[in-house]
Amino acid sequence: MSAIALALGCSYPRADEAPPACAKEDFETVVEQASGSLRDLNSENRPLFQEKLRELKNKRHWNHDEFITNAKPYVKDEKTVVYDRTTDELLSAIASMGQEGATAETPDCSRIVELRARMKMLVDTQSAKWSYMFQKLDAELAN
């Protein structure tokens, strides 16, 4: 069993075994799960992050225009650009693999493991981005 398969709780065939049977819908399900996980992650973090940004605005006595300008570094910097680029690449790969699996005459079931691994990397990337942005904002609020 591969390390990825073990980490995701998936069975992965040995070289001498045939891949497990799957249906086209299995690929669509994995893509839907990725979308749902991202939605959940964003809906959990966005309100708290916005609240902390407002708190910083009030603490610094910024007007609206100052807030728009001064809040940018907490939302977008060199590191968040890398997170966003990685996210875009993973989303593209997930969508492509999901579509290939869903439209193939005979789905390549061994690709489900890879698709799940990319989904996990996507959620991990977005979690790391949120953590990074919260750390920056919390450090500034502590000053």
Side-chain angles (χ1 to χ4, degrees):
M1 231 185 253
S2 75
I4 292 173
L6 281 172
L8 294 172
C10 307
S11 63
Y12 191 81
R14 295 186 327 242
D16 61 340
E17 292 179 344
C22 65
K24 295 177 183 185
E25 294 80 22
D26 295 334
F27 287 86
E28 294 167 347
T29 299
V30 172
V31 173
E32 288 171 14
Q33 288 172 341
S35 297
S37 293
L38 285 179
R39 269 191 310 275
D40 292 348
L41 191 61
N42 287 330
S43 64
E44 289 171 13
N45 288 292
R46 184 177 290 123
L48 179 59
F49 190 78
Q50 290 172 339
E51 170 79 22
K52 286 181 178 256
L53 280 174
R54 281 189 294 277
E55 189 179 328
L56 184 62
K57 176 187 176 197
N58 293 336
K59 183 175 184 176
R60 299 285 186 251
H61 306 289
W62 293 333
N63 65 35
H64 179 73
D65 292 335
E66 290 170 325
F67 173 67
I68 297 298
T69 301
N70 295 332
K72 282 182 186 175
Y74 301 100
V75 178
K76 189 166 189 164
D77 65 10
E78 291 177 9
K79 194 166 180 175
T80 61
V81 167
V82 172
Y83 284 127
D84 290 342
R85 188 178 320 120
T86 302
T87 295
D88 290 344
E89 290 167 1
L90 287 165
L91 283 170
S92 178
I94 287 168
S96 176
M97 291 173 71
Q99 174 135 10
E100 287 171 17
T103 60
E105 184 96 11
T106 305
D108 180 357
C109 298
S110 64
R111 303 260 313 181
I112 291 249
V113 172
E114 184 180 350
L115 187 56
R116 285 187 181 128
R118 289 183 192 243
M119 181 183 82
K120 182 181 180 327
M121 289 186 330
L122 175 63
V123 172
D124 289 349
T125 298
Q126 282 300 293
S127 293
K129 179 183 174 186
W130 279 113
S131 292
Y132 169 72
M133 292 189 319
F134 273 112
Q135 287 171 356
K136 282 181 21 174
L137 194 50
D138 287 340
E140 189 62 29
L141 283 166
N143 286 339

